[in-house]
Amino acid sequence: MGLLAFLKTQFVVHLLIGFVFVVSGLIINSIQLCTLVLWPVNKQLYRRLNCRLAYSLWSQLVMLLEWWSRTECTLFTDQATVGHFGKEHVVIILNHNFEIDFLCGWTMCERFGVLGSSKVLAKRELLYVPLIGWTWYFLEIVFCKRKWEEDREAVIKGLRRLADYPEYVWFLLYCEGTRFTEKKHRVSMEVAASKGLPVLKYHLLPRTKGFTTAVQCLRGTVAAVYDVTLNFRGNKNPSLLGILYGKKYEADMCVRRFPLEEIPLDEKEAAQWLHKLYQEKDALQEMYNQKGVFPGEQFKPARRPWTLLNFLFWATLLLSPLFSFVLGVFASGSPLLILTFLGFVGAASFGVRRLIGVTEIEKGSSYGNQEFKKKE
């Protein structure tokens, strides 16, 4: 085992990475708070600044995937589709089966220059998660309670605000509403059978209202829908904790582009289009499980150095004073000061672990276990 491989397994290194992410995130959130004064004066300047501030935080996670674990991401698509990447507003539909599916989406956003302006329809509980939810708030992310009667007006208002966004937006939708688990899948397929819909093997029944509303509200702004089907070679089930330990994974993403004009205007017809899309996604996953590849040409977009340089900037800025402080604490010889510092380290470790826990499937929401039994 080389020195770098050894360091990747050490808890103290993980703690230092977590320290850089958390403290830099709090600094970024503080700067974002100060930018609010720009909103009534120059809304577009406010948005551009916050895109770059968000990039400085999110790119640290992308750095872990690209440079720390050296995970490979391969696209299966065509040259014409690749030619559109980063040059248009789009809605992205991604399967929600893995703990790091969002991170694979972000690395593609980063490689095509839209990480800072990427958006998502997020559950409202995330608004109160430090760093993640706070950064999203300043980015005008659309939050929902996942109760359509209560969400409708807020979602429509949030989506329409994006019409004049100054940066290209990739708007991510997890149409399944929650991460795939066997229990949720069983309940979901019971609902599918009751509605006369085809059974899906690898996906939950898509919830159509968020999709149809997004398409209706963003017509004239969004140029296309990108359907992205993600899987990992070797039947791997990666985790953010695995990434932190430097485990390398190989992600494959099948990307299909559908011009928005191909999606029906009528809400019921658009919902049927989405159900058909998920049947196709299921067939793609079946093909991948049998052959180990998706259809289409293979592309490996080159990783850019900016995520690594951004992390090194924050690490240099924050770790130097930290090391000086730690040396001062132990040099003081004060048992109270040393114990207080160790207590802080323990609390910080717990906090970082809780942030990682947000991505874990077994700690995901119970949404979907019973909600599929209700009408959308």
Side-chain angles (χ1 to χ4, degrees), residues 110 211 222 323 367:
E110 201 291 317
F211 171 75
V222 163
F323 292 150
Y367 179 76

Side-chain angles (χ1 to χ4, degrees), residues 23 47 54 57 59 72 75 81 84 134 178 184 206 215 218 264 287 299 308 314 322 324 329 345 349 361 363:
V23 176
R47 286 169 159 174
L57 185 61
S59 66
E72 298 282 351
L75 301 181
T81 297
H84 288 283
W134 299 349
T178 186
K184 292 174 184 177
V215 168
L218 295 175
M287 175 183 177
F299 298 85
L308 180 61
W314 283 112
L322 175 66
S324 297
V329 167
V345 170
S349 172
I361 292 176
K363 295 183 181 178

Side-chain angles (χ1 to χ4, degrees), residues 50-299:
N50 275 279
C51 284
R52 281 142 188 82
L53 289 167
Y55 177 88
S56 189
L57 185 61
W58 301 148
S59 66
Q60 294 181 51
L61 297 178
V62 174
M63 183 281 300
L64 289 176
L65 185 80
E66 293 185 337
W67 295 92
W68 187 253
S69 79
R70 303 183 68 83
T71 290
E72 298 282 351
C73 293
T74 303
L75 301 181
F76 290 76
T77 185
D78 57 79
Q79 186 61 57
T81 297
V82 173
H84 288 283
F85 290 169
K87 301 175 183 177
E88 59 184 356
H89 297 294
V90 298
V91 171
I92 294 179
I93 297 174
L94 178 63
N95 54 306
H96 207 8
N97 300 69
F98 305 98
E99 291 183 11
I100 65 164
D101 45 34
F102 76 97
L103 202 49
C104 293
W106 271 358
T107 194
M108 287 298 106
C109 288
E110 201 291 317
R111 295 184 190 196
F112 292 100
V114 293
L115 177 59
S117 58
S118 61
K119 309 290 182 187
V120 66
L121 185 62
K123 57 185 179 182
R124 190 164 183 81
E125 296 96 309
L126 290 176
L127 175 60
Y128 308 105
V129 176
L131 309 182
I132 298 172
W134 299 349
T135 303
W136 275 350
Y137 172 80
F138 293 110
L139 282 176
E140 304 168 72
I141 292 296
V142 181
F143 292 96
C144 61
K145 298 177 182 177
R146 299 192 292 196
K147 295 180 180 178
W148 184 242
E149 296 76 13
E150 300 178 27
D151 288 333
R152 187 177 184 277
E153 289 187 14
V155 169
I156 291 174
K157 183 179 178 181
L159 289 171
R160 286 179 174 166
R161 278 204 307 265
L162 300 179
D164 63 343
Y165 212 79
E167 309 270 340
Y168 286 121
V169 170
W170 283 16
F171 189 88
L172 174 63
L173 281 177
Y174 287 117
C175 293
E176 295 161 271
T178 186
R179 277 203 179 91
F180 184 101
T181 66
E182 291 300 330
K183 182 178 180 181
K184 292 174 184 177
H185 180 252
R186 185 173 61 253
V187 175
S188 175
M189 291 306 98
E190 290 174 2
V191 175
S194 70
K195 292 184 176 182
L197 295 169
V199 171
L200 300 174
K201 185 176 180 180
Y202 302 102
H203 301 85
L204 305 179
L205 186 69
R207 306 178 73 84
T208 60
K209 290 199 181 293
F211 171 75
T212 56
T213 302
V215 168
Q216 289 172 356
C217 291
L218 295 175
R219 284 190 186 274
T221 301
V222 163
V225 170
Y226 294 171
D227 170 53
V228 182
T229 304
L230 169 69
N231 212 323
F232 289 86
R233 296 182 191 178
N235 200 29
K236 297 288 181 64
N237 192 9
S239 66
L240 188 55
L241 203 57
I243 294 295
L244 197 57
Y245 273 87
K247 293 182 180 179
K248 181 177 180 178
Y249 302 103
E250 293 178 293
D252 289 333
M253 288 179 274
C254 180
V255 184
R256 300 182 296 163
R257 182 182 183 272
F258 298 93
L260 205 65
E261 54 266 23
E262 292 185 7
I263 300 173
L265 289 168
D266 180 75
E267 182 178 350
K268 289 186 178 179
E269 291 180 2
Q272 292 172 358
W273 184 92
L274 183 65
H275 283 301
K276 182 175 181 293
L277 182 79
Y278 267 79
Q279 293 166 35
E280 294 171 359
K281 288 172 76 68
D282 227 47
L284 286 170
Q285 291 285 29
E286 182 67 28
M287 175 183 177
Y288 188 88
N289 285 339
Q290 290 179 0
K291 299 183 178 181
V293 293
F294 288 118
E297 299 177 60
Q298 295 187 31
F299 298 85

